[in-house]
PDB file of all heavy atoms in Angstrom:
ATOM      1  N   GLY H   1     -28.532  66.237 -56.129  1.00  0.00           N
ATOM      2  CA  GLY H   1     -29.395  66.306 -54.965  1.00  0.00           C
ATOM      3  C   GLY H   1     -30.797  66.702 -55.395  1.00  0.00           C
ATOM      4  O   GLY H   1     -31.395  66.088 -56.273  1.00  0.00           O
ATOM      5  N   ARG H   2     -31.301  67.777 -54.817  1.00  0.00           N
ATOM      6  CA  ARG H   2     -32.638  68.255 -55.171  1.00  0.00           C
ATOM      7  C   ARG H   2     -32.618  69.288 -56.291  1.00  0.00           C
ATOM      8  O   ARG H   2     -33.673  69.729 -56.754  1.00  0.00           O
ATOM      9  CB  ARG H   2     -33.319  68.871 -53.937  1.00  0.00           C
ATOM     10  CG  ARG H   2     -33.591  67.870 -52.819  1.00  0.00           C
ATOM     11  CD  ARG H   2     -34.327  68.535 -51.667  1.00  0.00           C
ATOM     12  NE  ARG H   2     -34.642  67.583 -50.602  1.00  0.00           N
ATOM     13  CZ  ARG H   2     -35.296  67.899 -49.499  1.00  0.00           C
ATOM     14  NH1 ARG H   2     -35.685  69.163 -49.294  1.00  0.00           N
ATOM     15  NH2 ARG H   2     -35.552  66.973 -48.584  1.00  0.00           N
ATOM     16  N   GLN H   3     -31.428  69.672 -56.703  1.00  0.00           N
ATOM     17  CA  GLN H   3     -31.316  70.722 -57.720  1.00  0.00           C
ATOM     18  C   GLN H   3     -31.293  70.128 -59.124  1.00  0.00           C
ATOM     19  O   GLN H   3     -30.376  69.417 -59.508  1.00  0.00           O
ATOM     20  CB  GLN H   3     -30.044  71.553 -57.508  1.00  0.00           C
ATOM     21  CG  GLN H   3     -29.907  72.702 -58.496  1.00  0.00           C
ATOM     22  CD  GLN H   3     -28.628  73.472 -58.327  1.00  0.00           C
ATOM     23  OE1 GLN H   3     -27.768  73.090 -57.533  1.00  0.00           O
ATOM     24  NE2 GLN H   3     -28.485  74.552 -59.071  1.00  0.00           N
ATOM     25  N   GLN H   4     -32.348  70.431 -59.876  1.00  0.00           N
ATOM     26  CA  GLN H   4     -32.395  70.019 -61.277  1.00  0.00           C
ATOM     27  C   GLN H   4     -31.597  71.025 -62.100  1.00  0.00           C
ATOM     28  O   GLN H   4     -31.794  72.236 -61.995  1.00  0.00           O
ATOM     29  CB  GLN H   4     -33.853  69.998 -61.770  1.00  0.00           C
ATOM     30  CG  GLN H   4     -34.041  69.355 -63.123  1.00  0.00           C
ATOM     31  CD  GLN H   4     -34.091  67.836 -63.020  1.00  0.00           C
ATOM     32  OE1 GLN H   4     -34.793  67.291 -62.194  1.00  0.00           O
ATOM     33  NE2 GLN H   4     -33.332  67.165 -63.861  1.00  0.00           N
ATOM     34  N   VAL H   5     -30.669  70.519 -62.934  1.00  0.00           N
ATOM     35  CA  VAL H   5     -29.816  71.387 -63.734  1.00  0.00           C
ATOM     36  C   VAL H   5     -30.158  71.290 -65.218  1.00  0.00           C
ATOM     37  O   VAL H   5     -30.212  72.294 -65.927  1.00  0.00           O
ATOM     38  CB  VAL H   5     -28.324  71.054 -63.515  1.00  0.00           C
ATOM     39  CG1 VAL H   5     -27.429  71.970 -64.345  1.00  0.00           C
ATOM     40  CG2 VAL H   5     -27.969  71.150 -62.038  1.00  0.00           C
ATOM     41  N   LEU H   6     -30.394  70.065 -65.692  1.00  0.00           N
ATOM     42  CA  LEU H   6     -30.770  69.847 -67.087  1.00  0.00           C
ATOM     43  C   LEU H   6     -32.092  69.099 -67.136  1.00  0.00           C
ATOM     44  O   LEU H   6     -32.306  68.148 -66.373  1.00  0.00           O
ATOM     45  CB  LEU H   6     -29.705  69.035 -67.827  1.00  0.00           C
ATOM     46  CG  LEU H   6     -28.309  69.646 -67.957  1.00  0.00           C
ATOM     47  CD1 LEU H   6     -27.378  68.684 -68.702  1.00  0.00           C
ATOM     48  CD2 LEU H   6     -28.352  70.990 -68.668  1.00  0.00           C
ATOM     49  N   ARG H   7     -32.952  69.529 -68.064  1.00  0.00           N
ATOM     50  CA  ARG H   7     -34.267  68.903 -68.182  1.00  0.00           C
ATOM     51  C   ARG H   7     -34.575  68.593 -69.644  1.00  0.00           C
ATOM     52  O   ARG H   7     -34.760  69.501 -70.454  1.00  0.00           O
ATOM     53  CB  ARG H   7     -35.350  69.843 -67.608  1.00  0.00           C
ATOM     54  CG  ARG H   7     -36.755  69.257 -67.628  1.00  0.00           C
ATOM     55  CD  ARG H   7     -37.736  70.199 -66.957  1.00  0.00           C
ATOM     56  NE  ARG H   7     -37.960  71.416 -67.718  1.00  0.00           N
ATOM     57  CZ  ARG H   7     -38.441  72.560 -67.215  1.00  0.00           C
ATOM     58  NH1 ARG H   7     -38.678  72.643 -65.920  1.00  0.00           N
ATOM     59  NH2 ARG H   7     -38.643  73.602 -67.978  1.00  0.00           N
ATOM     60  N   ASP H   8     -34.546  67.317 -69.960  1.00  0.00           N
ATOM     61  CA  ASP H   8     -34.957  66.842 -71.278  1.00  0.00           C
ATOM     62  C   ASP H   8     -34.186  67.534 -72.414  1.00  0.00           C
ATOM     63  O   ASP H   8     -34.784  68.064 -73.353  1.00  0.00           O
ATOM     64  CB  ASP H   8     -36.468  67.048 -71.446  1.00  0.00           C
ATOM     65  CG  ASP H   8     -37.040  66.203 -72.577  1.00  0.00           C
ATOM     66  OD1 ASP H   8     -36.387  65.216 -72.965  1.00  0.00           O
ATOM     67  OD2 ASP H   8     -38.122  66.550 -73.087  1.00  0.00           O
ATOM     68  N   ILE H   9     -32.863  67.503 -72.315  1.00  0.00           N
ATOM     69  CA  ILE H   9     -32.015  68.140 -73.328  1.00  0.00           C
ATOM     70  C   ILE H   9     -31.680  67.143 -74.439  1.00  0.00           C
ATOM     71  O   ILE H   9     -31.185  66.047 -74.181  1.00  0.00           O
ATOM     72  CB  ILE H   9     -30.698  68.655 -72.709  1.00  0.00           C
ATOM     73  CG1 ILE H   9     -30.978  69.740 -71.664  1.00  0.00           C
ATOM     74  CG2 ILE H   9     -29.754  69.173 -73.794  1.00  0.00           C
ATOM     75  CD1 ILE H   9     -31.581  70.997 -72.222  1.00  0.00           C
ATOM     76  N   THR H  10     -31.967  67.546 -75.655  1.00  0.00           N
ATOM     77  CA  THR H  10     -31.586  66.760 -76.830  1.00  0.00           C
ATOM     78  C   THR H  10     -30.694  67.625 -77.709  1.00  0.00           C
ATOM     79  O   THR H  10     -31.033  68.768 -78.023  1.00  0.00           O
ATOM     80  CB  THR H  10     -32.816  66.297 -77.624  1.00  0.00           C
ATOM     81  OG1 THR H  10     -33.565  65.361 -76.824  1.00  0.00           O
ATOM     82  CG2 THR H  10     -32.411  65.620 -78.931  1.00  0.00           C
ATOM     83  N   LEU H  11     -29.539  67.059 -78.071  1.00  0.00           N
ATOM     84  CA  LEU H  11     -28.536  67.834 -78.800  1.00  0.00           C
ATOM     85  C   LEU H  11     -27.734  66.892 -79.686  1.00  0.00           C
ATOM     86  O   LEU H  11     -27.227  65.881 -79.212  1.00  0.00           O
ATOM     87  CB  LEU H  11     -27.613  68.526 -77.793  1.00  0.00           C
ATOM     88  CG  LEU H  11     -26.633  69.595 -78.260  1.00  0.00           C
ATOM     89  CD1 LEU H  11     -27.374  70.818 -78.781  1.00  0.00           C
ATOM     90  CD2 LEU H  11     -25.719  69.990 -77.107  1.00  0.00           C
ATOM     91  N   GLN H  12     -27.652  67.217 -80.983  1.00  0.00           N
ATOM     92  CA  GLN H  12     -26.815  66.450 -81.897  1.00  0.00           C
ATOM     93  C   GLN H  12     -25.712  67.343 -82.448  1.00  0.00           C
ATOM     94  O   GLN H  12     -25.993  68.471 -82.864  1.00  0.00           O
ATOM     95  CB  GLN H  12     -27.631  65.873 -83.056  1.00  0.00           C
ATOM     96  CG  GLN H  12     -28.590  64.766 -82.665  1.00  0.00           C
ATOM     97  CD  GLN H  12     -29.988  65.265 -82.351  1.00  0.00           C
ATOM     98  OE1 GLN H  12     -30.375  66.339 -82.783  1.00  0.00           O
ATOM     99  NE2 GLN H  12     -30.725  64.485 -81.597  1.00  0.00           N
ATOM    100  N   ILE H  13     -24.502  66.838 -82.451  1.00  0.00           N
ATOM    101  CA  ILE H  13     -23.361  67.618 -82.925  1.00  0.00           C
ATOM    102  C   ILE H  13     -22.723  66.882 -84.104  1.00  0.00           C
ATOM    103  O   ILE H  13     -22.078  65.845 -83.922  1.00  0.00           O
ATOM    104  CB  ILE H  13     -22.317  67.822 -81.811  1.00  0.00           C
ATOM    105  CG1 ILE H  13     -22.987  68.409 -80.556  1.00  0.00           C
ATOM    106  CG2 ILE H  13     -21.192  68.740 -82.294  1.00  0.00           C
ATOM    107  CD1 ILE H  13     -22.092  68.445 -79.337  1.00  0.00           C
ATOM    108  N   PRO H  14     -22.886  67.391 -85.330  1.00  0.00           N
ATOM    109  CA  PRO H  14     -22.282  66.742 -86.500  1.00  0.00           C
ATOM    110  C   PRO H  14     -20.758  66.842 -86.466  1.00  0.00           C
ATOM    111  O   PRO H  14     -20.187  67.764 -85.886  1.00  0.00           O
ATOM    112  CB  PRO H  14     -22.853  67.537 -87.681  1.00  0.00           C
ATOM    113  CG  PRO H  14     -24.053  68.244 -87.146  1.00  0.00           C
ATOM    114  CD  PRO H  14     -23.740  68.528 -85.712  1.00  0.00           C
ATOM    115  N   ARG H  15     -20.105  65.894 -87.112  1.00  0.00           N
ATOM    116  CA  ARG H  15     -18.654  65.930 -87.236  1.00  0.00           C
ATOM    117  C   ARG H  15     -18.231  67.217 -87.952  1.00  0.00           C
ATOM    118  O   ARG H  15     -18.839  67.617 -88.936  1.00  0.00           O
ATOM    119  CB  ARG H  15     -18.156  64.733 -88.035  1.00  0.00           C
ATOM    120  CG  ARG H  15     -18.414  63.403 -87.383  1.00  0.00           C
ATOM    121  CD  ARG H  15     -18.000  62.255 -88.296  1.00  0.00           C
ATOM    122  NE  ARG H  15     -18.503  60.982 -87.777  1.00  0.00           N
ATOM    123  CZ  ARG H  15     -17.873  60.246 -86.870  1.00  0.00           C
ATOM    124  NH1 ARG H  15     -16.689  60.639 -86.415  1.00  0.00           N
ATOM    125  NH2 ARG H  15     -18.391  59.117 -86.436  1.00  0.00           N
ATOM    126  N   GLY H  16     -17.190  67.843 -87.410  1.00  0.00           N
ATOM    127  CA  GLY H  16     -16.637  69.031 -88.047  1.00  0.00           C
ATOM    128  C   GLY H  16     -17.307  70.334 -87.674  1.00  0.00           C
ATOM    129  O   GLY H  16     -16.825  71.402 -88.051  1.00  0.00           O
ATOM    130  N   GLN H  17     -18.401  70.270 -86.928  1.00  0.00           N
ATOM    131  CA  GLN H  17     -19.107  71.496 -86.564  1.00  0.00           C
ATOM    132  C   GLN H  17     -18.452  72.168 -85.358  1.00  0.00           C
ATOM    133  O   GLN H  17     -17.904  71.510 -84.471  1.00  0.00           O
ATOM    134  CB  GLN H  17     -20.568  71.185 -86.224  1.00  0.00           C
ATOM    135  CG  GLN H  17     -21.423  72.420 -85.949  1.00  0.00           C
ATOM    136  CD  GLN H  17     -22.880  72.056 -85.712  1.00  0.00           C
ATOM    137  OE1 GLN H  17     -23.252  71.657 -84.617  1.00  0.00           O
ATOM    138  NE2 GLN H  17     -23.695  72.186 -86.752  1.00  0.00           N
ATOM    139  N   THR H  18     -18.494  73.496 -85.332  1.00  0.00           N
ATOM    140  CA  THR H  18     -18.104  74.247 -84.135  1.00  0.00           C
ATOM    141  C   THR H  18     -19.384  74.769 -83.500  1.00  0.00           C
ATOM    142  O   THR H  18     -20.069  75.625 -84.058  1.00  0.00           O
ATOM    143  CB  THR H  18     -17.164  75.412 -84.462  1.00  0.00           C
ATOM    144  OG1 THR H  18     -15.956  74.907 -85.045  1.00  0.00           O
ATOM    145  CG2 THR H  18     -16.800  76.182 -83.197  1.00  0.00           C
ATOM    146  N   LEU H  19     -19.702  74.228 -82.338  1.00  0.00           N
ATOM    147  CA  LEU H  19     -20.941  74.552 -81.625  1.00  0.00           C
ATOM    148  C   LEU H  19     -20.613  75.405 -80.404  1.00  0.00           C
ATOM    149  O   LEU H  19     -19.738  75.047 -79.615  1.00  0.00           O
ATOM    150  CB  LEU H  19     -21.637  73.266 -81.176  1.00  0.00           C
ATOM    151  CG  LEU H  19     -22.810  73.415 -80.199  1.00  0.00           C
ATOM    152  CD1 LEU H  19     -23.980  74.131 -80.865  1.00  0.00           C
ATOM    153  CD2 LEU H  19     -23.238  72.054 -79.659  1.00  0.00           C
ATOM    154  N   ALA H  20     -21.303  76.525 -80.261  1.00  0.00           N
ATOM    155  CA  ALA H  20     -21.165  77.360 -79.067  1.00  0.00           C
ATOM    156  C   ALA H  20     -22.392  77.172 -78.185  1.00  0.00           C
ATOM    157  O   ALA H  20     -23.528  77.304 -78.650  1.00  0.00           O
ATOM    158  CB  ALA H  20     -21.021  78.829 -79.445  1.00  0.00           C
ATOM    159  N   LEU H  21     -22.158  76.838 -76.919  1.00  0.00           N
ATOM    160  CA  LEU H  21     -23.227  76.761 -75.920  1.00  0.00           C
ATOM    161  C   LEU H  21     -23.171  78.036 -75.094  1.00  0.00           C
ATOM    162  O   LEU H  21     -22.162  78.307 -74.442  1.00  0.00           O
ATOM    163  CB  LEU H  21     -23.042  75.542 -75.018  1.00  0.00           C
ATOM    164  CG  LEU H  21     -23.037  74.165 -75.678  1.00  0.00           C
ATOM    165  CD1 LEU H  21     -22.867  73.070 -74.622  1.00  0.00           C
ATOM    166  CD2 LEU H  21     -24.315  73.939 -76.466  1.00  0.00           C
ATOM    167  N   ILE H  22     -24.238  78.831 -75.155  1.00  0.00           N
ATOM    168  CA  ILE H  22     -24.247  80.104 -74.445  1.00  0.00           C
ATOM    169  C   ILE H  22     -25.383  80.135 -73.433  1.00  0.00           C
ATOM    170  O   ILE H  22     -26.270  79.281 -73.431  1.00  0.00           O
ATOM    171  CB  ILE H  22     -24.375  81.299 -75.425  1.00  0.00           C
ATOM    172  CG1 ILE H  22     -25.754  81.302 -76.100  1.00  0.00           C
ATOM    173  CG2 ILE H  22     -23.259  81.283 -76.453  1.00  0.00           C
ATOM    174  CD1 ILE H  22     -26.062  82.583 -76.868  1.00  0.00           C
ATOM    175  N   GLY H  23     -25.358  81.157 -72.593  1.00  0.00           N
ATOM    176  CA  GLY H  23     -26.383  81.333 -71.572  1.00  0.00           C
ATOM    177  C   GLY H  23     -25.748  81.858 -70.307  1.00  0.00           C
ATOM    178  O   GLY H  23     -24.529  81.785 -70.123  1.00  0.00           O
ATOM    179  N   GLU H  24     -26.591  82.372 -69.426  1.00  0.00           N
ATOM    180  CA  GLU H  24     -26.067  82.966 -68.206  1.00  0.00           C
ATOM    181  C   GLU H  24     -25.545  81.903 -67.253  1.00  0.00           C
ATOM    182  O   GLU H  24     -25.772  80.698 -67.447  1.00  0.00           O
ATOM    183  CB  GLU H  24     -27.139  83.814 -67.522  1.00  0.00           C
ATOM    184  CG  GLU H  24     -28.391  83.061 -67.153  1.00  0.00           C
ATOM    185  CD  GLU H  24     -29.494  83.996 -66.691  1.00  0.00           C
ATOM    186  OE1 GLU H  24     -30.179  84.588 -67.538  1.00  0.00           O
ATOM    187  OE2 GLU H  24     -29.659  84.126 -65.462  1.00  0.00           O
ATOM    188  N   SER H  25     -24.818  82.325 -66.240  1.00  0.00           N
ATOM    189  CA  SER H  25     -24.233  81.391 -65.280  1.00  0.00           C
ATOM    190  C   SER H  25     -25.313  80.540 -64.631  1.00  0.00           C
ATOM    191  O   SER H  25     -26.381  81.033 -64.275  1.00  0.00           O
ATOM    192  CB  SER H  25     -23.474  82.159 -64.195  1.00  0.00           C
ATOM    193  OG  SER H  25     -22.404  82.887 -64.760  1.00  0.00           O
ATOM    194  N   GLY H  26     -25.025  79.251 -64.485  1.00  0.00           N
ATOM    195  CA  GLY H  26     -25.951  78.356 -63.811  1.00  0.00           C
ATOM    196  C   GLY H  26     -27.030  77.756 -64.691  1.00  0.00           C
ATOM    197  O   GLY H  26     -27.946  77.109 -64.172  1.00  0.00           O
ATOM    198  N   CYS H  27     -26.912  77.933 -66.008  1.00  0.00           N
ATOM    199  CA  CYS H  27     -27.977  77.441 -66.889  1.00  0.00           C
ATOM    200  C   CYS H  27     -27.726  76.020 -67.381  1.00  0.00           C
ATOM    201  O   CYS H  27     -28.580  75.441 -68.056  1.00  0.00           O
ATOM    202  CB  CYS H  27     -28.189  78.385 -68.066  1.00  0.00           C
ATOM    203  SG  CYS H  27     -26.819  78.430 -69.234  1.00  0.00           S
ATOM    204  N   GLY H  28     -26.568  75.434 -67.080  1.00  0.00           N
ATOM    205  CA  GLY H  28     -26.322  74.040 -67.431  1.00  0.00           C
ATOM    206  C   GLY H  28     -25.380  73.812 -68.592  1.00  0.00           C
ATOM    207  O   GLY H  28     -25.222  72.678 -69.055  1.00  0.00           O
ATOM    208  N   LYS H  29     -24.679  74.854 -69.057  1.00  0.00           N
ATOM    209  CA  LYS H  29     -23.777  74.704 -70.213  1.00  0.00           C
ATOM    210  C   LYS H  29     -22.652  73.726 -69.929  1.00  0.00           C
ATOM    211  O   LYS H  29     -22.414  72.784 -70.692  1.00  0.00           O
ATOM    212  CB  LYS H  29     -23.178  76.069 -70.600  1.00  0.00           C
ATOM    213  CG  LYS H  29     -24.152  77.191 -70.830  1.00  0.00           C
ATOM    214  CD  LYS H  29     -23.454  78.454 -71.303  1.00  0.00           C
ATOM    215  CE  LYS H  29     -22.455  79.052 -70.333  1.00  0.00           C
ATOM    216  NZ  LYS H  29     -23.059  79.523 -69.079  1.00  0.00           N
ATOM    217  N   THR H  30     -21.919  73.969 -68.839  1.00  0.00           N
ATOM    218  CA  THR H  30     -20.762  73.132 -68.519  1.00  0.00           C
ATOM    219  C   THR H  30     -21.196  71.722 -68.135  1.00  0.00           C
ATOM    220  O   THR H  30     -20.517  70.745 -68.465  1.00  0.00           O
ATOM    221  CB  THR H  30     -19.928  73.768 -67.398  1.00  0.00           C
ATOM    222  OG1 THR H  30     -19.430  75.043 -67.855  1.00  0.00           O
ATOM    223  CG2 THR H  30     -18.753  72.893 -67.015  1.00  0.00           C
ATOM    224  N   VAL H  31     -22.331  71.591 -67.456  1.00  0.00           N
ATOM    225  CA  VAL H  31     -22.840  70.266 -67.099  1.00  0.00           C
ATOM    226  C   VAL H  31     -23.152  69.469 -68.364  1.00  0.00           C
ATOM    227  O   VAL H  31     -22.874  68.272 -68.445  1.00  0.00           O
ATOM    228  CB  VAL H  31     -24.089  70.383 -66.193  1.00  0.00           C
ATOM    229  CG1 VAL H  31     -24.721  69.012 -65.965  1.00  0.00           C
ATOM    230  CG2 VAL H  31     -23.718  71.008 -64.862  1.00  0.00           C
ATOM    231  N   THR H  32     -23.718  70.140 -69.361  1.00  0.00           N
ATOM    232  CA  THR H  32     -23.987  69.474 -70.641  1.00  0.00           C
ATOM    233  C   THR H  32     -22.698  68.973 -71.267  1.00  0.00           C
ATOM    234  O   THR H  32     -22.621  67.833 -71.742  1.00  0.00           O
ATOM    235  CB  THR H  32     -24.703  70.438 -71.606  1.00  0.00           C
ATOM    236  OG1 THR H  32     -25.946  70.835 -71.039  1.00  0.00           O
ATOM    237  CG2 THR H  32     -24.949  69.784 -72.957  1.00  0.00           C
ATOM    238  N   MET H  33     -21.676  69.825 -71.273  1.00  0.00           N
ATOM    239  CA  MET H  33     -20.392  69.432 -71.838  1.00  0.00           C
ATOM    240  C   MET H  33     -19.820  68.226 -71.102  1.00  0.00           C
ATOM    241  O   MET H  33     -19.317  67.278 -71.730  1.00  0.00           O
ATOM    242  CB  MET H  33     -19.409  70.608 -71.777  1.00  0.00           C
ATOM    243  CG  MET H  33     -18.075  70.325 -72.439  1.00  0.00           C
ATOM    244  SD  MET H  33     -16.983  71.768 -72.460  1.00  0.00           S
ATOM    245  CE  MET H  33     -16.564  71.891 -70.709  1.00  0.00           C
ATOM    246  N   LYS H  34     -19.918  68.221 -69.777  1.00  0.00           N
ATOM    247  CA  LYS H  34     -19.408  67.101 -68.994  1.00  0.00           C
ATOM    248  C   LYS H  34     -20.211  65.830 -69.247  1.00  0.00           C
ATOM    249  O   LYS H  34     -19.659  64.720 -69.253  1.00  0.00           O
ATOM    250  CB  LYS H  34     -19.412  67.452 -67.500  1.00  0.00           C
ATOM    251  CG  LYS H  34     -18.372  68.493 -67.119  1.00  0.00           C
ATOM    252  CD  LYS H  34     -18.427  68.815 -65.631  1.00  0.00           C
ATOM    253  CE  LYS H  34     -17.346  69.823 -65.248  1.00  0.00           C
ATOM    254  NZ  LYS H  34     -17.386  70.160 -63.800  1.00  0.00           N
ATOM    255  N   ALA H  35     -21.511  65.985 -69.474  1.00  0.00           N
ATOM    256  CA  ALA H  35     -22.343  64.821 -69.773  1.00  0.00           C
ATOM    257  C   ALA H  35     -21.961  64.198 -71.108  1.00  0.00           C
ATOM    258  O   ALA H  35     -22.010  62.964 -71.266  1.00  0.00           O
ATOM    259  CB  ALA H  35     -23.818  65.221 -69.786  1.00  0.00           C
ATOM    260  N   LEU H  36     -21.552  65.030 -72.064  1.00  0.00           N
ATOM    261  CA  LEU H  36     -21.189  64.526 -73.388  1.00  0.00           C
ATOM    262  C   LEU H  36     -19.974  63.612 -73.359  1.00  0.00           C
ATOM    263  O   LEU H  36     -19.791  62.777 -74.246  1.00  0.00           O
ATOM    264  CB  LEU H  36     -20.927  65.695 -74.346  1.00  0.00           C
ATOM    265  CG  LEU H  36     -22.133  66.552 -74.740  1.00  0.00           C
ATOM    266  CD1 LEU H  36     -21.693  67.728 -75.600  1.00  0.00           C
ATOM    267  CD2 LEU H  36     -23.177  65.727 -75.489  1.00  0.00           C
ATOM    268  N   ILE H  37     -19.120  63.772 -72.327  1.00  0.00           N
ATOM    269  CA  ILE H  37     -17.913  62.948 -72.243  1.00  0.00           C
ATOM    270  C   ILE H  37     -17.957  61.962 -71.081  1.00  0.00           C
ATOM    271  O   ILE H  37     -16.957  61.314 -70.774  1.00  0.00           O
ATOM    272  CB  ILE H  37     -16.644  63.827 -72.139  1.00  0.00           C
ATOM    273  CG1 ILE H  37     -16.715  64.742 -70.910  1.00  0.00           C
ATOM    274  CG2 ILE H  37     -16.453  64.636 -73.393  1.00  0.00           C
ATOM    275  CD1 ILE H  37     -15.448  65.534 -70.681  1.00  0.00           C
ATOM    276  N   GLY H  38     -19.115  61.864 -70.432  1.00  0.00           N
ATOM    277  CA  GLY H  38     -19.272  60.866 -69.388  1.00  0.00           C
ATOM    278  C   GLY H  38     -18.753  61.255 -68.026  1.00  0.00           C
ATOM    279  O   GLY H  38     -18.710  60.415 -67.124  1.00  0.00           O
ATOM    280  N   LEU H  39     -18.359  62.503 -67.843  1.00  0.00           N
ATOM    281  CA  LEU H  39     -17.929  62.948 -66.514  1.00  0.00           C
ATOM    282  C   LEU H  39     -19.122  63.167 -65.589  1.00  0.00           C
ATOM    283  O   LEU H  39     -18.996  63.102 -64.372  1.00  0.00           O
ATOM    284  CB  LEU H  39     -17.116  64.243 -66.622  1.00  0.00           C
ATOM    285  CG  LEU H  39     -15.725  64.109 -67.239  1.00  0.00           C
ATOM    286  CD1 LEU H  39     -15.060  65.474 -67.349  1.00  0.00           C
ATOM    287  CD2 LEU H  39     -14.851  63.163 -66.421  1.00  0.00           C
ATOM    288  N   VAL H  40     -20.271  63.453 -66.178  1.00  0.00           N
ATOM    289  CA  VAL H  40     -21.541  63.542 -65.453  1.00  0.00           C
ATOM    290  C   VAL H  40     -22.493  62.545 -66.099  1.00  0.00           C
ATOM    291  O   VAL H  40     -22.660  62.542 -67.323  1.00  0.00           O
ATOM    292  CB  VAL H  40     -22.131  64.964 -65.520  1.00  0.00           C
ATOM    293  CG1 VAL H  40     -23.562  64.974 -64.997  1.00  0.00           C
ATOM    294  CG2 VAL H  40     -21.273  65.940 -64.722  1.00  0.00           C
ATOM    295  N   ARG H  41     -23.099  61.698 -65.291  1.00  0.00           N
ATOM    296  CA  ARG H  41     -24.029  60.690 -65.805  1.00  0.00           C
ATOM    297  C   ARG H  41     -25.468  61.186 -65.610  1.00  0.00           C
ATOM    298  O   ARG H  41     -25.878  61.447 -64.485  1.00  0.00           O
ATOM    299  CB  ARG H  41     -23.836  59.377 -65.064  1.00  0.00           C
ATOM    300  CG  ARG H  41     -22.419  58.816 -65.228  1.00  0.00           C
ATOM    301  CD  ARG H  41     -22.409  57.616 -66.114  1.00  0.00           C
ATOM    302  NE  ARG H  41     -21.071  57.061 -66.263  1.00  0.00           N
ATOM    303  CZ  ARG H  41     -20.803  55.989 -66.974  1.00  0.00           C
ATOM    304  NH1 ARG H  41     -21.766  55.373 -67.629  1.00  0.00           N
ATOM    305  NH2 ARG H  41     -19.562  55.544 -67.075  1.00  0.00           N
ATOM    306  N   PRO H  42     -26.229  61.297 -66.694  1.00  0.00           N
ATOM    307  CA  PRO H  42     -27.628  61.727 -66.560  1.00  0.00           C
ATOM    308  C   PRO H  42     -28.451  60.696 -65.793  1.00  0.00           C
ATOM    309  O   PRO H  42     -28.203  59.490 -65.889  1.00  0.00           O
ATOM    310  CB  PRO H  42     -28.114  61.827 -68.019  1.00  0.00           C
ATOM    311  CG  PRO H  42     -26.881  61.853 -68.851  1.00  0.00           C
ATOM    312  CD  PRO H  42     -25.852  61.079 -68.087  1.00  0.00           C
ATOM    313  N   GLN H  43     -29.450  61.193 -65.030  1.00  0.00           N
ATOM    314  CA  GLN H  43     -30.375  60.275 -64.364  1.00  0.00           C
ATOM    315  C   GLN H  43     -31.358  59.660 -65.374  1.00  0.00           C
ATOM    316  O   GLN H  43     -31.856  58.562 -65.180  1.00  0.00           O
ATOM    317  CB  GLN H  43     -31.166  61.008 -63.268  1.00  0.00           C
ATOM    318  CG  GLN H  43     -30.378  61.228 -61.986  1.00  0.00           C
ATOM    319  CD  GLN H  43     -29.387  62.376 -62.105  1.00  0.00           C
ATOM    320  OE1 GLN H  43     -29.629  63.344 -62.825  1.00  0.00           O
ATOM    321  NE2 GLN H  43     -28.267  62.280 -61.389  1.00  0.00           N
ATOM    322  N   GLN H  44     -31.632  60.414 -66.446  1.00  0.00           N
ATOM    323  CA  GLN H  44     -32.487  59.919 -67.519  1.00  0.00           C
ATOM    324  C   GLN H  44     -31.877  60.333 -68.855  1.00  0.00           C
ATOM    325  O   GLN H  44     -31.143  61.312 -68.934  1.00  0.00           O
ATOM    326  CB  GLN H  44     -33.900  60.523 -67.427  1.00  0.00           C
ATOM    327  CG  GLN H  44     -34.700  60.112 -66.211  1.00  0.00           C
ATOM    328  CD  GLN H  44     -36.029  60.848 -66.166  1.00  0.00           C
ATOM    329  OE1 GLN H  44     -36.312  61.567 -65.214  1.00  0.00           O
ATOM    330  NE2 GLN H  44     -36.853  60.668 -67.191  1.00  0.00           N
ATOM    331  N   GLY H  45     -32.207  59.582 -69.899  1.00  0.00           N
ATOM    332  CA  GLY H  45     -31.749  59.941 -71.227  1.00  0.00           C
ATOM    333  C   GLY H  45     -30.499  59.177 -71.640  1.00  0.00           C
ATOM    334  O   GLY H  45     -29.981  58.324 -70.898  1.00  0.00           O
ATOM    335  N   LEU H  46     -30.019  59.498 -72.809  1.00  0.00           N
ATOM    336  CA  LEU H  46     -28.956  58.748 -73.444  1.00  0.00           C
ATOM    337  C   LEU H  46     -27.909  59.691 -74.021  1.00  0.00           C
ATOM    338  O   LEU H  46     -28.242  60.725 -74.594  1.00  0.00           O
ATOM    339  CB  LEU H  46     -29.559  57.905 -74.582  1.00  0.00           C
ATOM    340  CG  LEU H  46     -28.687  56.890 -75.294  1.00  0.00           C
ATOM    341  CD1 LEU H  46     -28.289  55.761 -74.344  1.00  0.00           C
ATOM    342  CD2 LEU H  46     -29.440  56.323 -76.496  1.00  0.00           C
TER     343      LEU H  46
END
């Protein structure tokens, strides 16, 4: 809707890496994870 959750996020995850996404509630961690698997489709970006 009108709520922006992620803004211009660029993230590369190498094979075999263990990446921790941290931050306070509502900062977009889980949305990022869902975007990585196509459960959330970004309005912009790849």
